Amino acid sequence: MARLFQTAIAASGHEVDLVSHFRSWDGSGDEVRQRRLRDIGLNIASRLVRTYMSAGHKPELWFTYHAYHKAPDWIGPYVCAALQIPYVVAEASFAPKQNDGPWRMGHEQCRSGLRAADAIISLNRQDDPCLRATLSPCCELLELKPFMSLDGVSTAVADREMVAGKWGVPLSGPWLVCVAMMREGDKLDSFTQLARTLGSLRDERWYLIIVGDGSCRARVTQMFEPIGSRVTMTGLLDRDSIYTILRSSDVYVWPAVNEAYGMALLEAQACGLPVVAAATGGVPQIVEHRRTGLLSAQSDLDMLSRHIRELLRDPLSSRRMGSRAETKCRSQHDVLQVGHELDNLFTRLRHHQ
């Protein structure tokens, strides 16, 4: 998503300069490490300010992606205050419950940065209530829908025979598909729920293609062993291969445990697939229930199973949903449209300076 923001900004005629590769993330709640990261970040910020001032020019604005208590922005607020330029943050999140937690330092810096922001860009409506309570009155909250580049999707074509021959998927019967990393936490929980759900659907005709890999691959493989002859795991694939598989499949399935919004769900719909998932996080911003897919409550495996069965038994309805999904992606989730919205935001900020 960070790269997509760069693409969107550049597409609207602005130059994007990545000024630092500094990573402020601390996953363990180590206060000593957090202080060291703070000092490194502030030193980088100070050097940047000196560089810009000596050069006699400064950026149009500062853009930070995904600041939160475990990865606060130690550079942007300092640079913006010194140079008097707008400070913009995309996909920030603020969790009041972290006030007294092991990331107190990052939490407080996140609060301070949000208070100093001129604009916050939100892609997940669940983040908005806590953000609104933190922002200054003059800060603009711009709500965008999750977006993607449609270039690769536009050139992808279905090639069911090639996919079947390469991966050993039978041509007969509907193809279910999902694309996800196999790692601990919510992804592994989603795979666990998917295996249980499909285990209850062995009376239906279907084959599942799983695209992805990760540290938990052996555990995921074991989960699907009871239905293994109907499951194909491709491992990691390039984007073109993923789009070809999506174009060739029939239904995208994913339990979406604690999913922020699900870029893979968006890509599936852009390839003309209906989505069966849980209505968690920002998923309903992407999947429109009964129009572009079917949504259930999180961890309601009975409903997830019923929804998959419904589309397996009604392929005409499934194809209609997929067609509407592709149309919706092109009209509402294109990176070029987001570029125009960001350009308008930047123009408003310049006028307020």
Side-chain angles (χ1 to χ4, degrees):
M1 182 53 71
R3 288 191 291 270
L4 280 170
F5 268 114
Q6 288 182 299
T7 300
I9 295 170
S12 62
H14 300 274
E15 182 179 348
V16 181
D17 187 11
L18 181 62
V19 296
S20 175
H21 292 276
F22 170 63
R23 189 168 184 248
S24 66
W25 184 77
D26 167 51
S28 62
D30 183 344
E31 188 173 345
V32 174
R33 172 178 166 79
Q34 291 169 41
R35 285 199 297 268
R36 186 166 64 249
L37 289 169
R38 174 200 62 192
D39 294 343
I40 294 172
L42 292 177
N43 283 333
I44 294 171
S46 179
R47 289 200 302 270
L48 283 171
V49 169
R50 291 197 300 271
T51 299
Y52 286 126
M53 286 184 168
S54 65
H57 67 83
K58 60 185 181 180
E60 176 185 355
L61 57 78
W62 184 278
F63 190 98
T64 290
Y65 175 74
H66 196 36
Y68 72 118
H69 62 277
K70 291 185 180 180
D73 182 7
W74 291 109
I75 304 177
Y78 182 102
V79 172
C80 291
L83 299 181
Q84 292 297 292
I85 60 175
Y87 179 51
V88 180
V89 184
E91 277 213 273
S93 63
F94 187 74
K97 65 182 179 181
Q98 297 296 332
N99 278 331
D100 299 314
W103 291 277
R104 291 185 298 273
M105 186 182 302
H107 175 71
E108 186 53 42
Q109 176 63 12
C110 189
R111 185 204 310 269
S112 176
L114 291 173
R115 291 289 295 176
D118 296 279
I120 300 293
I121 298 169
S122 171
L123 297 179
N124 187 344
R125 302 298 178 264
Q126 284 198 327
D127 293 332
D128 291 0
C130 288
L131 287 175
R132 290 184 185 278
T134 308
L135 305 182
S136 68
C138 60
C139 179
E140 179 174 349
L141 179 62
L142 175 64
E143 295 180 332
L144 297 177
K145 293 181 178 180
F147 58 95
M148 62 175 291
S149 172
L150 296 172
D151 289 344
V153 176
S154 300
T155 58
V157 295
D159 194 340
R160 200 172 171 95
E161 289 190 1
M162 183 277 287
V163 173
K166 186 171 184 177
W167 302 110
V169 185
L171 281 169
S172 61
W175 290 2
L176 310 178
V177 63
C178 67
V179 181
M181 292 302 296
M182 299 173 184
R183 59 172 181 253
E184 291 280 359
D186 295 334
K187 298 298 185 188
L188 187 60
D189 290 345
S190 289
F191 275 117
T192 302
Q193 292 189 12
L194 182 59
R196 291 174 180 169
T197 300
L198 293 180
S200 70
L201 290 170
R202 277 178 279 191
D203 58 315
E204 298 284 351
R205 289 175 63 248
W206 54 264
Y207 297 91
L208 173 67
I209 303 173
I210 299 176
V211 181
D213 208 337
S215 59
C216 295
R217 177 161 183 164
R219 294 164 67 181
V220 173
T221 301
Q222 187 177 21
M223 291 174 191
F224 287 93
E225 279 182 355
I227 48 176
S229 62
R230 301 170 72 170
V231 179
T232 293
M233 294 187 183
T234 69
L236 286 177
L237 297 176
D238 60 60
R239 188 62 56 190
D240 289 343
S241 297
I242 292 174
Y243 288 156
T244 297
I245 289 176
L246 291 175
R247 283 285 190 197
S248 303
S249 299
D250 298 289
V251 180
Y252 192 93
V253 292
W254 187 240
V257 175
N258 294 324
E259 198 80 57
Y261 41 79
M263 284 299 297
L265 308 184
L266 188 58
E267 291 176 335
Q269 291 184 107
C271 288
L273 287 184
V275 168
V276 177
T280 56
V283 172
Q285 294 171 232
I286 293 178
V287 183
E288 189 175 349
H289 184 56
R290 291 281 165 200
R291 284 196 55 78
T292 68
L294 299 174
L295 298 178
S296 60
Q298 179 166 297
S299 301
D300 187 341
L301 303 192
D302 288 339
M303 183 175 290
L304 191 70
S305 174
R306 290 197 299 273
H307 284 162
I308 295 174
R309 192 185 298 275
E310 179 179 334
L311 293 190
L312 289 174
R313 293 184 175 184
D314 190 352
L316 179 58
S317 176
S318 179
R319 287 194 293 271
R320 286 172 177 168
M321 285 186 185
S323 178
R324 288 194 292 264
E326 185 170 1
T327 299
K328 180 174 179 286
C329 283
R330 296 188 179 282
S331 63
Q332 300 182 26
H333 300 281
D334 185 4
V335 66
L336 298 180
Q337 295 171 334
V338 170
H340 291 309
E341 294 193 58
L342 292 177
D343 184 51
N344 290 335
L345 170 65
F346 298 163
T347 299
R348 293 194 297 273
L349 294 178
R350 284 201 305 271
H351 289 163
H352 292 160
Q353 284 296 106

